[in-house]
Amino acid sequence: MSDRIHRRPAVSPQVDYGDAVMLHDTDHLLIELVPFFIARSEDDQLACKIVRYDKRAGWQETSISLQEPALRKLHDSLTSHLLITKEESGSYIVLRADGSVSSESSLSLDQVARAISDLLQTDGIVEHLVGVDLGAELAHALRTDLRLGELHEAVSELATYLRRGTADESIYQGWCERHSWAFGNAYVVNDQVRSISAGDRIDLLLPRSLGGFRDLIELKRPDMRILVYDSSHRSWHWSAEVSRAIGQCHRYLDVLHSEVGLSGIRDAPDVIAYHPRATVVIGRSERWSEQQHQALHGLNRRLADISVISYDHLLAQARQTLDLVRTPDSEDDRAVRPESEDFDDVPF
């Protein structure tokens, strides 16, 4: 279960603050950590103040402030040292394959290669490794670490676009093309195919890992509305933008069924689309009420082969995938895990 984090505006318009975190509390001493979010020209930055209250001296206050670069160094240092708290005295090589990877600290392949090269030049390290079979374990650790870094960076990138209010559809198109895994573990790398017939060009065509049948993704801007409330009938209905997107997908599905099907696209016969599904990604749902989420679920259930989700739902699915990679099930559980068919299991 994750902690609930509150971000509240401070007196300064450039600063928000979070709830104080109690680090230490006794009859005569209280130590708290207070997080601050500082608006910058490119991105928000996190800062923290560690405050010490001496209760015996009339709650006399002393404090120290840490900016984001120092906080990241502190985080990385604590993470590494906590991993060896139960080990014996000695020197340790800590491979960050435990899921505690940040976009700032994730390593590129070149950085990993340089780090290993420097490590092998350390006195005595080669002699220590001779005769020890670490090949498979080391390769697995490095692959895991790099994959976690890639997924974490992708999730952070999408979250940043949404937080900044980026509305350029082409930016989200590029992100989805690079990270088609965000649409569920049933999908593998997306196709380069876009034109399915003369005059019909879709945003994304995703092959399922089982069978290779294609589904399509239609992307719209995140600043478009999804639902509209009809007060006279006390009901929610699709916005005009969503209705047009559904109609657009309906045409694409007809084309895929009649002109592609099991025979494949004319210029790409291996691209088959047998009874395809379509997903429309549009708008935001971050501030929705429970009634709006229920309305979206109900309206989606009454559509055939088309689903509508928000960019916040897509972000939630990406975060869920990252969490699954960080804390994988046992081999037996993974072997029988079903491939997700839609977004019903996403914690919206």
Side-chain angles (χ1 to χ4, degrees):
M1 182 176 67
S2 60
D3 295 332
R4 183 181 296 274
I5 298 176
H6 301 284
R7 178 170 172 167
R8 302 180 176 88
V11 176
S12 170
Q14 302 295 323
V15 178
D16 290 346
Y17 68 95
D19 294 334
V21 179
M22 186 185 68
L23 303 179
H24 179 77
D25 189 15
T26 64
D27 292 338
H28 50 269
L29 182 63
L30 172 64
I31 301 177
E32 292 183 333
L33 181 144
V34 183
F36 293 92
F37 304 91
I38 304 173
R40 304 292 189 189
S41 57
E42 296 182 355
D43 197 0
D44 290 356
Q45 297 287 317
L46 175 67
C48 285
K49 178 183 289 187
I50 300 177
V51 188
R52 180 183 184 274
Y53 298 97
D54 189 340
K55 299 179 182 179
R56 295 175 300 181
W59 288 80
Q60 182 178 349
E61 174 184 335
T62 56
S63 65
I64 181 174
S65 297
L66 298 175
Q67 301 301 313
E68 185 161 318
L71 289 173
R72 291 191 179 278
K73 290 180 181 179
L74 178 62
H75 171 271
D76 292 343
S77 177
L78 289 174
T79 301
S80 298
H81 284 81
L82 284 171
L83 291 175
I84 62 169
T85 52
K86 297 183 179 180
E87 303 296 334
E88 298 178 353
S89 300
S91 299
Y92 293 88
I93 301 170
V94 179
L95 293 177
R96 301 279 305 277
D98 62 332
S100 55
V101 179
S102 69
S103 59
E104 296 291 335
S105 63
S106 57
L107 301 177
S108 66
L109 287 173
D110 290 340
Q111 289 172 315
V112 171
R114 286 196 299 270
I116 294 177
S117 177
D118 293 340
L119 177 65
L120 292 177
Q121 296 179 36
T122 304
D123 292 341
I125 192 66
V126 174
E127 290 79 3
H128 177 72
L129 294 176
V130 170
V132 180
D133 184 13
L134 296 177
E137 184 177 352
L138 180 61
H140 174 73
L142 290 176
R143 282 196 302 268
T144 301
D145 193 45
L146 292 172
R147 181 58 175 161
L148 283 169
E150 176 191 346
L151 296 181
H152 191 284
E153 185 174 1
V155 170
S156 298
E157 183 182 0
L158 180 57
T160 298
Y161 290 151
L162 296 176
R163 187 177 69 251
R164 293 177 179 175
T166 303
D168 189 344
E169 187 179 317
S170 64
I171 290 179
Y172 296 98
Q173 169 101 29
W175 188 92
C176 291
E177 288 175 355
R178 297 190 302 273
H179 308 293
S180 57
W181 51 267
F183 289 93
N185 62 351
Y187 296 110
V188 293
V189 179
N190 58 288
D191 289 316
Q192 297 301 311
V193 175
R194 292 291 181 273
S195 298
I196 57 175
S197 69
D200 290 310
R201 184 177 178 84
I202 62 179
D203 289 332
L204 287 172
L205 198 61
L206 301 182
R208 288 184 173 271
S209 55
L210 289 180
F213 300 119
R214 269 57 174 184
D215 291 340
L216 65 91
I217 307 295
E218 182 63 29
L219 302 174
K220 299 301 180 183
R221 297 200 316 272
D223 59 349
M224 290 181 170
R225 290 190 303 174
I226 303 176
L227 301 176
V228 178
Y229 187 70
D230 181 357
S231 57
S232 62
H233 295 90
R234 295 178 296 173
S235 62
W236 293 91
H237 60 86
W238 298 121
S239 68
E241 295 87 352
V242 172
S243 295
R244 284 193 291 268
I246 291 174
Q248 190 177 355
C249 289
H250 173 69
R251 171 177 169 76
Y252 292 158
L253 292 176
D254 275 353
V255 171
L256 285 169
H257 178 74
S258 60
E259 298 190 21
V260 180
L262 291 173
S263 60
I265 294 179
R266 182 177 305 168
D267 297 327
D270 59 322
V271 177
I272 53 179
Y274 186 61
H275 293 290
R277 292 170 51 88
T279 300
V280 178
V281 187
I282 184 173
R284 300 292 306 276
S285 60
E286 182 183 26
R287 302 179 185 276
W288 273 13
S289 65
E290 183 64 27
Q291 289 75 19
Q292 287 172 290
H293 284 291
Q294 291 178 356
L296 177 65
H297 178 79
L299 289 169
N300 268 323
R301 281 302 184 187
R302 287 156 181 81
L303 292 176
D305 301 324
I306 300 176
S307 297
V308 178
I309 65 171
S310 72
Y311 280 91
D312 295 294
H313 296 156
L314 180 61
L315 178 61
Q317 174 75 7
R319 283 174 171 156
Q320 186 180 67
T321 300
L322 176 58
D323 289 341
L324 288 173
V325 175
R326 280 176 170 168
T327 55
D329 299 332
S330 67
E331 293 295 331
D332 292 339
D333 291 339
R334 284 199 298 271
V336 299
R337 176 185 292 277
E339 293 185 326
S340 59
E341 290 292 326
D342 49 36
F343 284 73
D344 284 347
D345 57 345
V346 177
F348 294 154

